[in-house]
Amino acid sequence: MATIGGRILVAPTSKLITEIDDDDVQIVLEHNNFNQYDIGFMQSAPGGIAQTEAIRFVSNATDLQEGGTGGPYQYTVSRNIDNSGGGANSWAKDSAIVNFGHMQG
């Protein structure tokens, strides 16, 4: 259900295991459901200030668990590919990211 002006997205998602700063190009996610050239999309409003960022995944996942059996997963990314004013954003731990699909490099 969506409210007036709302929307519903049905797509693979994950969340940040660690916070990221505006200059980070390595992100760590809970799930391994992004591939090289996928586009991730994030939105939030920390302190009531809306922010949005599109991220291109430059690498496939590296499993950080010893033995490589279940994550968390680290990815190399290209930040702020949507050029949404002022550069990349900082994101809190547990921020959600949705997979908008594959875009050939």
Side-chain angles (χ1 to χ4, degrees), residues 73-98:
Y73 301 92
Q74 182 173 322
Y75 297 86
T76 301
V77 295
S78 179
R79 305 281 307 276
N80 191 41
I81 64 166
D82 57 320
N83 293 317
S84 58
N89 299 300
S90 294
W91 297 92
K93 178 183 184 234
D94 295 328
S95 292
I97 183 166
V98 63

Side-chain angles (χ1 to χ4, degrees), residues 35-39 56-58 78 81 101-105:
N35 293 306
Q36 187 178 28
Y37 304 123
D38 282 350
I39 302 298
R56 175 178 291 129
F57 285 75
V58 177
S78 179
I81 64 166
H102 194 76
M103 183 174 134
Q104 191 59 29

Side-chain angles (χ1 to χ4, degrees), residues 17 28-32 61-75:
I17 295 298
V28 181
L29 302 179
E30 182 176 355
H31 304 96
N32 180 15
T62 299
D63 192 332
L64 297 179
Q65 184 172 4
E66 190 172 325
T69 58
Y73 301 92
Q74 182 173 322
Y75 297 86

